[in-house]
Amino acid sequence: MSLRMSLFFQNSASCAVLLLLCFGLRPSLESDIMESHPCYRECSSDPSTRMTCGYNFTLEYFWILSKACYDCPNVTSDCSRYDCIAADGVKRAIAVVNRIMPGPSIRVCKGDSIVVDVQNGLFGEGTAIHWHGIHMKSTPWMDGVPGVTQCPIPAGSTFRYEFDVPVAGTYYWHSHAGFQRGDGVFGSLIVREPKDKKLMIYDHDLPEHEIIIWDWLATLSLSNFLNHHHADGDNKPRGVLINGKGLPPGFFDNFSENETLQSSGKPFVPLHEVRVTQGHSYRLRMISNGVLNCPLEMSIENHTMTVIASDGFNVNPVDVQSLVVYAGERWDIVLKADQPVSSYWIKFRGLMDCDDRFTSAFQVAVLNYKGIPLGTMPKHSIKNWYEASAPSDGLQLNPLNLAPGIDGKYMTAAELSSVEDDDPEIITQELADHQFYISYDFNPIDNIRFHGPHVPLRTVRKGFRLYTPQLNFISHVMPVSPFLTQPESMDDAQICSESSLQVNCTQEYCECTHMLTVDLNSIVELVLVDRGYTFDANHPFHLHGHAFRIVGMERLSKTTEPNYIKELDKLGRIPRRRMNAVIKDTVTVPDGGYTIVRFRADNPGFWFFHCHITYHVEVGMGLIFQVGNVSDMLPAPENFPRCGNYIPPVANPPIRMYEKPQTIVPLKNGTNPHHPRYKVNGQTSRKPSTSSSAGRKPNKSGGDRLVSNGSSIIICLVLFLSDYFTKSICR
């Protein structure tokens, strides 16, 4: 089917919705609209049935409980009105796509092509959409990372993404620009494949069983970020949402001991509801859009979950009672409806920055069997973080900061087994072609973005100290122009790695475009080390353009160093898995321990590798892998958007004035390898200094001229007197 025909059907579905509205009717859910898309269908192995599936995304800033919600949540039905985003019933600004949260779901078949027209309606703000887990082997410029694979989509403009989906699995899409992902710019991307009745271990795979979970802030993420990084604000999530719904924090604070959700009469936003039929089994697709450091522990009352896939790759099934989900991960589980017909809680409990030391964030959804009326909830309420906990006597998969697992109690992701592996050499080869130790921590260093000589970290009280998350003591800075589509813009003075820096980055703040280069088709091993000194934290890492095998994971102590792990490795005491290693694209690292992953670098291009906690990646906790030479990479399409700095020479050198005695001044040409774009002007008095650039005359080549504070006072005095005498003469 042609793109034009696919878009026609999509528009026809929209027309059908409008007709329903004209007669005073409406579909019950956003999923009802998306299911009418012709690409949501029974998948076939016949290549002639492949389709080109078109979607329109409109990004804009919006509001929780806007006027479109009328009297929601006091009138429950008002919460289902068009354009009403109710969330947890607490008003705040958001950024959304098509005025729904989560955004539109994309549901296609293996082998289909996807075309998405993204119209950026955000006020004066660029954007880009990343297709999380899709490797973009034939269209690397569609990966959606500003500065790496494309330019940001300017406000008011439209960008068309077009790519194929050759591999089935559970994926999702989200903004990869600033903090938009945390404020609502994301949605599911599900690629199904033809049913094989011999291999089917579930009866149903339905859209209403796609579940996106994430931690939720009280304000726009940018405002929260600025408060935390420049003042004494915290970075702790306020609550949790399940498919955009939930109870607000503190909802049960004034409840009596025996009072329940139903008996209180207190209005609330309808919770997400999963419906099943007794005796049937269902595939649930769990997607984490986790924003901050808030892993979520999931369990379902009285039910066992069977894990069958992670990050789009099948695993040998494992029965568990609970599962911990980290930012960016996807888990597919089979739920057997084998309990009495009733209503049960699906529980989510926040860990780390969401645990009982901080915000005690938790949330619930409802599992209702057929025969139970819509909107019914269990008679007992889950009123606090402790009641939302998983069963203590069951197996938990993917535990927090615990590795290796404990038989019958805990099982790490590294201990899962892959169903199949089309490239076993990745893990059977004794030594990788490239090995990188990538260590990190929150470093107590004067980050010039938030501290520097004017507010050094050691001089401010504890609430104002910012510890910087870095990889190998380097803060990554995104290129101004995307390396993939504008390789001529690559500047060696801006690019670095641990081996190229000539300074001690443990003592001085180091920032640059952090890049590691590997040969095409080589086997790459990453030893990720969480040093664990500053906080008992957690970091889930995501790799673009490739999936990896987890070949090792262990927590050694509360703290550790990469050199110690290297010594253990030389002694043969760091084991690696050589068979059926699980395949993922997002993995956590235990605090004070390591995780070892391997991948074949068979996708030429520039690919981002980063912590998937939003605040961490935005302050530089990431790096770029260059896979192959530029000559190995596919050229970008003709007329692909370009961007970059515009700094032409000027006829007369401009005069600049810096009135503050200490400030950050952009350099014309970056020469300092660890501060390639910034230099501190250390002038501390009005008197020009021989070591300062203040008061220097312009050179013949047209450099800048800085005027001292004393000169500026003289100029101001002359101008004042001139103005005074001129007015006197005129009078």
Side-chain angles (χ1 to χ4, degrees), residues 141-393:
W141 48 83
M142 292 294 168
D143 191 48
V145 183
V148 181
T149 61
Q150 73 170 92
C151 299
I153 306 169
S157 66
T158 298
F159 183 93
R160 173 167 288 178
Y161 289 95
E162 182 177 2
F163 55 93
D164 299 329
V165 283
V167 180
T170 299
Y171 309 103
Y172 90 116
W173 59 265
H174 62 79
S175 170
H176 218 296
F179 308 103
Q180 296 162 12
R181 177 173 70 87
D183 292 324
V185 184
F186 62 90
S188 63
L189 197 170
I190 308 300
V191 183
R192 290 182 170 83
E193 58 188 338
K195 293 180 179 178
D196 187 337
K197 294 182 179 179
K198 295 180 181 179
L199 301 177
M200 292 287 287
I201 60 173
Y202 54 87
D203 303 314
H204 308 284
D205 182 8
L206 303 173
E208 53 263 36
H209 296 150
E210 299 161 13
I211 302 176
I212 305 182
I213 58 179
W214 72 100
D215 46 310
W216 190 234
L217 294 169
T219 62
L220 276 175
S221 299
L222 175 60
S223 175
N224 190 277
F225 173 87
L226 295 175
N227 189 9
H228 174 60
H229 286 74
H230 290 287
D232 62 347
D234 66 44
N235 59 344
K236 307 298 185 283
R238 181 177 62 89
V240 176
L241 293 180
I242 312 301
N243 277 2
K245 299 178 179 179
L247 299 172
F251 183 83
F252 294 101
D253 286 354
N254 297 321
F255 278 50
S256 63
E257 183 177 351
N258 297 322
E259 196 171 11
T260 66
L261 191 62
Q262 298 89 329
S263 66
S264 69
K266 188 176 180 180
F268 58 91
V269 171
L271 301 175
H272 179 67
E273 184 172 338
V274 174
R275 296 193 66 82
V276 297
T277 299
Q278 190 181 46
H280 292 227
S281 56
Y282 299 83
R283 181 173 186 159
L284 306 186
R285 297 176 182 263
M286 300 292 306
I287 301 169
S288 171
N289 182 53
V291 179
L292 298 182
N293 196 356
C294 184
L296 293 173
E297 175 192 81
M298 176 211 180
S299 61
I300 306 176
E301 285 185 331
N302 295 12
H303 290 76
T304 296
M305 301 178 290
T306 303
V307 175
I308 61 170
S310 180
D311 294 354
F313 293 91
N314 294 329
V315 301
N316 288 310
V318 176
D319 291 338
V320 301
Q321 275 62 53
S322 64
L323 167 68
V324 177
V325 187
Y326 300 89
E329 286 190 315
R330 292 91 63 211
W331 293 93
D332 292 46
I333 60 181
V334 173
L335 174 68
K336 295 179 180 178
D338 55 5
Q339 294 300 304
V341 174
S342 188
S343 184
Y344 302 88
W345 289 117
I346 304 175
K347 302 185 292 185
F348 297 86
R349 184 171 75 149
L351 306 177
M352 197 52 64
D353 284 358
C354 286
D355 67 17
D356 57 340
R357 297 171 300 170
F358 302 107
T359 59
S360 297
F362 73 99
Q363 197 52 264
V364 289
V366 182
L367 173 67
N368 277 336
Y369 278 63
K370 184 178 180 180
I372 300 296
L374 283 168
T376 303
M377 288 171 290
K379 294 181 179 179
H380 63 289
S381 294
I382 304 297
K383 297 182 179 179
N384 55 55
W385 184 85
Y386 301 98
E387 293 179 0
S389 64
S392 59
D393 57 349

Side-chain angles (χ1 to χ4, degrees), residues 35 180 321 328 445 552 569 716:
E35 287 173 44
Q180 296 162 12
Q321 275 62 53
I445 199 162
D569 209 6
C716 291

Side-chain angles (χ1 to χ4, degrees), residues 395-415:
L395 179 64
Q396 182 174 98
L397 179 63
N398 211 23
L400 173 66
N401 285 340
L402 192 149
I406 300 172
D407 286 344
K409 190 169 184 180
Y410 297 106
M411 182 180 190
T412 67
E415 292 161 313

Side-chain angles (χ1 to χ4, degrees), residues 25-37:
L25 303 174
R26 73 179 298 276
S28 59
L29 298 169
E30 178 269 332
S31 60
D32 296 331
I33 303 172
M34 297 312 299
E35 287 173 44
S36 65
H37 195 292

